[in-house]
């Protein structure tokens, strides 16, 4: 299974989630996208479910000197969540990663203010909270997002992604009530290899999408 772009991937997710909704399994849903890549994926889902769409800003904590290699993540003002196995393999200690955490925390707050302004995040208490990204490799950022939302007492916590590494999908099962992954390729190497068009999503695109959807979606 390949996807033309993020929107098509979101349409495929929407079909599956609409089946859940038809069975009465999604109570008062709210869709939360992990920016930036998860936002275009989330749009068709929110439209199909007539649900509000917003972002849940999370930031990956990268390996010192290799920021593209994720060893942890942060959401909001929560303590950082680290991949302990990765830290052990690399011989790193959490207390040595303070500069990386501080840098990502600053960027997280910048993006949250940019995308949302003074608007608060949706209240997920008693609702079906659907977290969406464009795919998972290690899954540490999605894991931090799910744990953040779990403390807010949603009726049901769902992670929906188009493609993910098989082992990551297995480890994520304990974090949410349901994990919906459309494609778990055995030869997974990177999320982008399963999209024909995987161009980077800009901040302006995220803002435009959120503004356009908020004009027509329920709150």
């Amino acid at each position: 299974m390949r996807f033309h772009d993020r929107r098509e991937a979101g349409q495929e997710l929407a079909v599956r989630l609409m089946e859940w909704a038809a069975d009465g399994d999604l109570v008062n849903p709210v869709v939360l996208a992990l920016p930036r890549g998860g936002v275009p994926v989330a749009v068709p889902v929110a439209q199909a479910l007539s649900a509000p769409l917003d972002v849940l800003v999370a930031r990956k904590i990268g390996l010192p000197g290799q920021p593209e290699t994720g060893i942890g993540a942060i959401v909001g003002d929560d303590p950082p969540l680290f991949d302990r196995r990765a830290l052990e393999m690399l011989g790193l200690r959490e207390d040595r990663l303070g500069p990386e955490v501080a840098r990502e925390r600053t960027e997280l707050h910048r993006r949250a203010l940019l995308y949302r302004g003074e608007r608060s995040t949706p209240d997920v208490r008693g609702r079906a909270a659907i977290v969406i990204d464009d795919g998972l490799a290690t899954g540490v950022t999605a894991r931090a997002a799910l744990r953040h939302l779990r403390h807010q007492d949603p009726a049901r916590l769902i992670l929906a992604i188009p493609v993910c590494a098989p082992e990551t999908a297995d480890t994520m099962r304990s974090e949410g009530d349901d994990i919906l992954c459309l494609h778990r390729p055995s030869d997974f190497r990177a999320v982008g290899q399963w999209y024909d068009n995987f161009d980077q999503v800009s901040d302006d695109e995220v803002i435009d999408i959120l503004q356009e959807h908020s004009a027509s979606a329920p709150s």
Side-chain angles (χ1 to χ4, degrees):
M1 177 183 290
R2 289 181 60 82
F3 306 100
H4 173 65
D5 55 17
R6 291 180 177 91
R7 178 170 288 273
E8 181 185 79
Q11 291 168 344
E12 295 291 336
L13 283 175
V15 170
R16 294 288 297 277
L17 288 166
M18 283 296 289
E19 294 173 355
W20 293 11
D23 292 336
D25 293 335
L26 299 180
V27 178
N28 196 13
V30 56
V31 176
L32 296 169
L34 298 183
R36 291 179 291 209
V39 177
V41 181
V43 172
V45 174
Q47 290 174 336
L49 297 175
S50 298
L53 167 66
D54 211 327
V55 290
L56 178 59
V57 184
R59 290 293 297 170
K60 177 176 65 179
I61 300 169
L63 183 66
Q66 301 180 44
E68 70 284 353
T69 303
I71 55 174
I74 52 173
V75 179
D77 292 319
D78 294 355
L81 173 67
F82 288 103
D83 183 335
R84 298 189 180 279
R85 183 182 176 200
L87 293 184
E88 291 175 2
M89 292 177 61
L90 295 166
L92 291 173
R93 298 201 327 249
E94 293 182 18
D95 58 7
R96 300 293 298 273
L97 297 168
E100 284 73 23
V101 173
R103 181 167 54 250
E104 295 305 333
R105 186 86 69 185
T106 298
E107 178 62 12
L108 184 152
H109 288 310
R110 182 196 74 83
R111 291 198 184 194
L113 182 61
L114 179 65
Y115 299 153
R116 189 178 292 114
E118 299 301 323
R119 178 169 46 85
S120 61
T121 57
D123 184 3
V124 303
R125 183 174 291 103
R127 306 177 74 171
I130 305 170
V131 178
I132 293 184
D133 204 353
D134 54 13
L136 298 185
T138 66
V140 66
T141 303
R143 183 176 291 111
L146 292 173
R147 292 189 182 183
H148 175 81
L149 290 172
R150 179 64 78 189
H151 293 303
Q152 300 179 32
D153 199 25
R156 188 175 181 185
L157 185 56
I158 300 164
L159 175 64
I161 58 270
V163 60
C164 57
E167 61 275 12
T168 299
D170 292 338
T171 61
M172 294 297 290
R173 290 192 176 280
S174 62
E175 304 294 345
D177 297 315
D178 294 283
I179 308 297
L180 172 58
C181 179
L182 299 178
H183 189 35
R184 306 179 187 190
S186 59
D187 56 342
F188 180 97
R189 294 186 302 277
V191 172
Q193 77 183 100
W194 303 102
Y195 288 84
D196 295 327
N197 180 350
F198 198 65
D199 293 342
Q200 187 177 41
V201 179
S202 69
D203 285 337
D204 287 342
E205 286 179 86
V206 170
I207 294 168
D208 288 346
I209 288 171
L210 293 176
Q211 290 179 344
E212 181 179 348
H213 187 82
S214 66
S216 59
S219 61

